[in-house]
Amino acid sequence: MNTLRVSSNKPEYDGSAPEESESIASSQFYEDCQVRDTEEDEEDHTDTPMGSGGQIEERDEFAEIRKLAQAETRRVLLWKGILLTVIGVTAALVTAGTYRILRQEEDDDFTTAYRLFSNNIKDAIQGHYERLSLASRSASLAITGSAQTSQETFPYVTIKDFEVLGESIRERSGLESLTWTPFVPVNEEGKWNNYSAANQGWVDYSRKTVLAASDDEQLYRSYQEGPIGPMFKLPGPPQQLSAPVWQQSPPPFSVQRTLNLDLMTTGTITQTRYNVLARVKHLTFGDIDTDVNLINSAFRKEDHELYHARKVDWNKSLPATDLPHSFIAEPVFSEINDPTSELVGQVIGYVALDNYVVDLLPDGINNITLVMRNSCNQTFTYDIRGSSAYYYGSLDLHDPQYDDLEVTTKFYGYDDEDIIEEMGQGVVCTMTFHIYPTSTFEDNYRSNLPMILAILVGATFAFMAVTFFMYDWFQGSRNRKVVAAAASSNAIVSSMFPSVIRDKLLEQQKREQREKRKGKVEPLSLHSQDRLSLQEEGRGGDVPLADFYPACTIMFCDIVGFTAWSSVREPVQVFQLLEAVYAEFDKCANNRRVFKVETVGDSYVAVAGLPEARKDHAVAMCRFAQDCKKAFTDVVNRLEMLLGPETADLSMRFGLHSGPVTAGVLRGDKARFQLFGDTMNTASRMESTGKPGVIQVSHDTAEILKEAGKGAWVTPREEMVQVKGKGMLITYWLAVNAATGRSRDGSSTTSGTSVSSEVSDAYTWSNQSKRNVPINGQTKEDQKTQRLVQWNVGVLSDLLSRVIAAHKDISAPANTTTTMGKARNTPDASSLLHVEAGMPLDEVKEVISISNCGFQPSHMPPDEPLEKLNKVAKTQLHDYVSTIAAMYKDNAFHNFEHASQVAMAECKLLSRVVNPKLSGVSDDNPEGHGSTLHDSYGITSDPLVQFACVFSALIHDVDHPGVPNSTLLSENEAMAQTYGKRSMAEQQSFDLAWNLLMDARFNELKLAICGDNTDELNRFRQILINVVLATDVMDKDLNELRAKRWDRSFGTSVVEEAKKDKIDRKATVVIEHMIQAADVAHTMQHWHIYHKWNSRLFSEMYSAYSAGRTTENPAEGWYEGELGFFDTYIIPLAKKLDECGVFGVASSEYLSYAERNRMEWEDKGKFIVEEYLQEYKAASDAVASKDTIMEDDEREG
């Protein structure tokens, strides 16, 4: 990487390794470096003013800061005396004013609290009205909609399930009864009587609906049978319209006394009311009285009493019918949402006003008076008591002293003053609510606190005066803390700048402060624009802190493959690698007296020769680069167990160049010590044009090494290098180990031989691994497989430790232990752990049971250490994984390395599972009640599920034949018959892995997994079957099963089922989609990862084609097939990971990579397929040539 802006950040690192042996090895490595330096180049180490860390000897920062603290302390003592005097004077004033202020605060608190609660009441009442209005409007629209749907004409409209509609409206609005009353012209009353007699079946239907929801036998006996009679009226003047009571909810006890009663003759509805209703076209209220005939016709007295008792309290000597009731009228029009259409009827609801005075305040907030007034000169008073209320009576009983605090809210929804005035004439009534505090409510905010606090304030001032006399004792402790904190801060600044530069900055700051106090300069910032303008105006300005260093050597190094490697790992793992690597580099820098400039991403920049000049800058930097190269190899090999496969395959490019450098502090925001010049650019180019695992140096650096007698360290590169802005350059490879003619054991060697060997070492593995030639008795593939086995064992051991911790409630035999490295004495384990096994495909279940063991999620720290896996079980686990690795065939794609990649992707998905318990709310638990089953549907609280998921990833392709199931049908008829001609490769992989696990050699491992519990073993097998067979995405029946289950869990066909069944179903869907995503994770990762595994898959399929196992040439449709695979499977799968809601924001990463890879494949895929084909043919020719050579050697032998 090339950069012109660098800094001297030095992140602190404690240098501790994961294991003691690793720490010792690391320390030994640096001791060897120091010994080598002494033996090889004693003449290079001249006396310098620099310490062992390559910096100028630092002054005693603690002593300097201590002096500064003492000077400040004298000022503090002076101000202490002044402060004590001020305290005495202030005490009298503050004490006197405290009482007055606090009393005023109580008044303000009372007023504020009342305003808050009265506004709450106001908002709640408005909410009640809105719900009432919306519900009544819904009933009106439902009647009009029913008429249009059934093609009935008004007034001859009947809703069969009127009780269902009525019950819903009553529950939402607080109405006690709901009545549908059509307007019938007088000349059609005979026709109406015939219609009502013919359509009275709704009454029985409504009664049956009520009885079905009630177990009250008395209610059944309350209903009186009999037909509906003709419309009947009360005496009075004739009307133009009739308004018979037609349908009512709840249904009446007696239809003869209720239904077909003409309300136009009862005073409930008059022609004037009809005219107002037609004009308002909205909900209206009647007057408030105890005329509740329609309620009494459908409610028994005791039920009515109980209904009101649940809401408010009142003087029980009065019946519930004496509580304020009113009726509402909602117009019904002939057309939906068209108030200009004909008014054909009305919905009448009887409501107890108690409904609108409850749930207005939180419990515990009492004694606020609520007065109801309407335009019909009626008044009623309630006392609000939390969520309930008390009814005082039909008078205005509020306290007049609080009239100025009155809050008013209306209980109607129209603003037309003419209409309101007309309604005020007694036709209909508008209602308003008036809110007042009470003296009892105010008393809640009155206390003796003002007097008490006034006394305490005086005592506090006295105590403060005494306390300050103890100040001297605390002063020493404070100073020590200040010194330590200031020294720490100064150390941080020192790490950002070389000592020389830091001292200049501090001196410049002091000078600027002195001049500022004298008024000679204006306040300056570090912004160069301000300083430049002052210099141009002749008013001074500091000269930038910069110097020219004529002889320096700069090193750039960069991790090769880091971007692709990091794309498949968690951010924490990325930083674990970078911190470990660069901490080791920092140690090397201190040892070699090299100045670390900056780390930019995965690039590390260092320089030798500044800030203090040194003649051996090139030699020192070369040794430093060699140390870094070895340190990097040690770190990645050590961390592969922790960070996963391919960590040890990472390498670094190094580039060195020597020349002049301009360096200094570019002042401004986040100022840093920076390097500039062509030397920086060229060093960057040396790195970017280099090769992995070797150190490339420029011609200038090589010449300096030759002049220093180190010419044996460098070997010219075979070809010239094209460098941007420089043209073709001659560069060199660096090898320091053989420079002095001594080997590491001290024996003599010849320079030429050693240099050649060192330069070629970087290519030994890559060249020999292509032929799989043994190195030290093992091929690179063998070593890689061993590393993969160790990593898988480590991951499974951690997960299995959590499984064991979840089995704490299962008692072990007296002679059995599971920790401290001791094995169990269980000779009958094989008989205990046995399950009946059939064809795996037949055992696939729609829902897997998830255990609620209460175990903490894997990404949360446990309260106590996890129980360790005993040595015998861990040894068996290692043997099992090693055997599984050996059972994988040498396929290009379906091999053990790919299985490990799938396991790592599965681990990453598990680590990103969101834990809804952190928020306490989920879709399944909207009220936030905590439960371990709500940890992402129980996945994170069931360690066995986590272990089984990773275990399944490891075994899912065991003994894969290298061809799809469609080919196996014709290629292996016996296998096809055994497995029912479906999912043959997957079923065979499962059977092989399961049968191996059931072997007596792995009894201790089985006991660790299942804890002597056959049910757990069955559950473990069930999880494995579902997960492994989920990787067969070509089986139509399995795909349909998974699609239906997804739809039932997260789609549009969600079914009602038990809560645990619902959670288990979702968990089953999630874990199956996790393995599917992990199996094709390379398509949802960095392009290089996708390209690598796609190439291997092509090679595997083309190999099968070349061998005659398949008839279709994969090269002919590979480009289009990949696009289709992205469109029909990968991208939809990535979207499902987001839709299931358990991966949080992390799910967008997979979709983003999938879409980008799809776009890049669409752009480059055709050319890449040609490259695949050429690479395959070249590899085949190489293998054929190798076989020919081996045959010739055998004949000659």
Side-chain angles (χ1 to χ4, degrees), residues 260-276:
N260 268 347
L261 170 63
D262 185 1
L263 296 181
M264 282 288 190
T265 64
T266 65
T268 303
I269 302 175
T270 64
Q271 186 64 42
T272 304
R273 288 182 187 272
Y274 172 85
N275 294 337
V276 172

Side-chain angles (χ1 to χ4, degrees), residues 1104-1118:
Y1105 168 72
S1106 300
R1109 299 177 68 185
T1110 59
T1111 58
E1112 295 183 4
N1113 183 355
E1116 294 178 355
W1118 196 264

Side-chain angles (χ1 to χ4, degrees), residues 972-991:
N972 194 331
E973 184 176 351
M975 181 189 295
Q977 293 298 326
T978 300
Y979 295 114
K981 300 182 179 181
R982 293 174 57 195
S983 303
M984 294 172 291
E986 290 76 17
Q987 292 191 77
Q988 177 178 257
S989 296
F990 172 80
D991 275 345

Side-chain angles (χ1 to χ4, degrees), residues 393-407:
S394 57
L395 296 171
D396 185 347
L397 300 177
H398 83 277
D399 192 338
Q401 68 171 319
Y402 298 111
D403 283 350
D404 60 323
L405 295 176
E406 177 188 28
V407 174

Side-chain angles (χ1 to χ4, degrees), residues 86-100:
V86 172
I87 289 175
V89 175
T90 306
L93 298 175
V94 173
T95 302
T98 297
Y99 179 83
R100 183 181 181 88

Side-chain angles (χ1 to χ4, degrees), residues 313-337:
D313 193 11
W314 74 96
N315 184 351
K316 295 302 190 299
S317 63
L318 299 176
T321 54
D322 282 357
L323 295 174
H325 290 75
S326 183
F327 76 89
I328 64 165
E330 177 73 35
V332 177
F333 297 96
S334 60
E335 299 294 335
I336 292 179
N337 291 327

